[in-house]
Amino acid sequence: MKRITVLVSGGGTNLGALIAAQERGEIPGGAITRVISSSPDAYALTRAAEHGIPTDVVDRKAFLQREDFSRAILNAIDSSQPDLIILAGFMFILPKELTEKYPNRMINVHPALIPSFCGNGFYGLRVHQAALDYGVKLTGATVHFVSEVTDGGPIILQKAVEIVEGDTAEILQKRVMEQAEWIILPRAVALFCADKLEVRGNKVYIKE
Ligand code: GAR
């Protein structure tokens, strides 16, 4: 059974989708064993507690220096002894030291079709506002392994979502979550836990 640590910063709807998938038996090879939050107020912590999952808080506001926060996150991750780490709405870029320590063992969900609308500064509603401002007709979500390049690691799964006339960033965010993120994140985690993902170079191959 693979031990899964989930990093969160806010509402935690993607964490909720993972918990629901786990409880439906859709991630037979893994179990969420720890949730680490960068904020004591994150609703994701309540979701975890309701399902008996142990939590840790590494409060970003308690650290003056970014490096100290990163080190504390790394310590919390290490002590959870994970086989897999999920960034599920975790709003901070992790240092190279951390991404190098867990190569192809960290997965991120991003609310756009990478390589569009990604990289430094693209997170949360900003991503959807950028897609609307550009005028694209399709957006979506991407689940990928985390590398030292922000949003640049090997892509595991993507799903497209249509943009509709009159969309706001909030409306679009909800549609992308419902039609893409909450589906492809649990699916990618299940594939990882079943040892069905093979990374060669910057490409992911899904084994039969
Ligand atoms: C999700 O849309 C996730 O893809 C995005 O933040 C939201 C978190 O929602 N992540 C990023 O933008 C990271 N670059 P949640 O807390 O309800 O899962």
Side-chain angles (χ1 to χ4, degrees):
M1 186 67 77
K2 289 192 173 28
R3 295 169 59 84
I4 304 170
T5 292
V6 185
L7 270 62
V8 296
S9 294
T13 64
N14 279 289
L15 170 67
L18 286 171
I19 294 172
Q22 178 177 299
E23 292 182 350
R24 287 194 302 266
E26 290 169 12
I27 311 178
I32 303 167
T33 45
R34 185 76 58 91
V35 169
I36 300 172
S37 174
S38 61
S39 160
D41 307 320
Y43 186 67
L45 290 169
T46 307
R47 292 180 198 271
E50 280 171 0
H51 294 267
I53 301 167
T55 59
D56 264 347
V57 175
V58 181
D59 188 355
R60 176 65 186 92
K61 293 202 184 87
F63 297 87
L64 286 178
Q65 303 297 330
R66 172 121 199 173
E67 303 77 58
D68 295 336
F69 169 68
S70 296
R71 201 165 306 117
I73 286 283
L74 180 55
N75 288 340
I77 291 173
D78 284 348
S79 70
S80 71
Q81 298 181 295
D83 298 301
L84 174 64
I85 300 152
I86 315 284
L87 310 185
F90 186 70
M91 295 305 177
F92 300 93
I93 294 179
L94 296 170
K96 198 172 165 201
E97 184 193 8
L98 214 162
T99 53
E100 274 177 351
K101 186 157 184 190
Y102 293 97
N104 298 332
R105 280 169 61 197
M106 297 181 81
I107 287 178
N108 180 46
V109 58
H110 183 75
L113 294 173
I114 290 174
S116 291
F117 312 116
C118 64
N120 290 338
F122 286 96
Y123 57 87
L125 284 171
R126 289 173 184 226
V127 179
H128 301 293
Q129 192 58 56
L132 291 175
D133 290 346
Y134 197 97
V136 292
K137 306 293 185 192
L138 278 177
T139 185
T142 303
V143 175
H144 64 94
F145 282 114
V146 176
S147 72
E148 67 192 59
V149 181
T150 306
D151 297 328
I155 292 173
I156 303 168
L157 294 172
Q158 291 187 298
K159 194 164 185 292
V161 174
E162 279 189 35
I163 289 178
V164 177
E165 188 79 40
D167 271 352
T168 61
E170 288 80 5
I171 292 170
L172 184 57
Q173 179 182 54
K174 187 162 180 283
R175 189 179 313 117
V176 168
M177 284 174 160
E178 287 172 355
Q179 295 185 8
E181 295 185 54
W182 300 343
I183 298 166
I184 62 173
L185 180 61
R187 194 176 289 162
V189 171
L191 288 167
F192 179 95
C193 291
D195 293 319
K196 290 203 169 166
L197 300 178
E198 189 182 324
V199 184
R200 277 184 260 147
N202 206 45
K203 285 191 189 171
V204 177
Y205 297 84
I206 299 174
K207 295 188 255 179
E208 289 304 313

